[in-house]
Amino acid sequence: MLDQIRGRSYRDALIMLEFMPYRSTGPVTKVLRSAVANAEQNMGLNPATLVVSHASADTGPSLKRYRPRAQGRAYQIRKQTCHISIAVAPTTT
């Protein structure tokens, strides 16, 4: 999913994320909006001219939890997390 929005304009990326059938589009949309808001606020860039220059998801720390099993044993469950990073840059034209 991140490969599909990389290199697209901000508006196109939002439209694509809105109509994708994946559960992870919610957090990715939130990160993309945050990146554009940071670029607008800190750098004074116009959101209409921004392009997604970098988008990646790396592994994060695993939360270790235990579930009870038969005969008093415990079974370890690892809840995986990830770090989503998106960078935006102004168009070069």
Side-chain angles (χ1 to χ4, degrees):
M1 176 183 59
L2 292 173
D3 291 335
Q4 294 176 356
I5 66 167
R6 194 176 298 123
R8 305 256 181 177
S9 68
Y10 168 60
R11 184 174 179 215
D12 290 342
L14 278 181
I15 291 170
M16 286 183 69
L17 287 172
E18 183 178 345
F19 292 107
M20 283 185 184
Y22 306 116
R23 225 174 69 182
S24 60
T25 57
V28 171
T29 303
K30 196 172 183 180
V31 172
L32 178 61
R33 287 180 192 266
S34 175
V36 170
N38 285 337
E40 186 179 6
Q41 183 69 31
N42 298 335
M43 305 285 192
L45 299 174
N46 185 8
T49 64
L50 295 177
V51 174
V52 178
S53 61
H54 173 78
S56 67
D58 302 321
T59 58
S62 297
L63 300 175
K64 293 176 182 156
R65 302 292 184 256
Y66 293 94
R67 298 281 302 183
R69 300 300 283 191
Q71 298 179 356
R73 294 188 174 99
Y75 181 75
Q76 185 180 18
I77 295 176
R78 290 179 204 88
K79 295 186 176 185
Q80 298 290 330
T81 60
C82 70
H83 296 292
I84 303 169
S85 59
I86 294 178
V88 292
T91 57
T92 57
T93 49

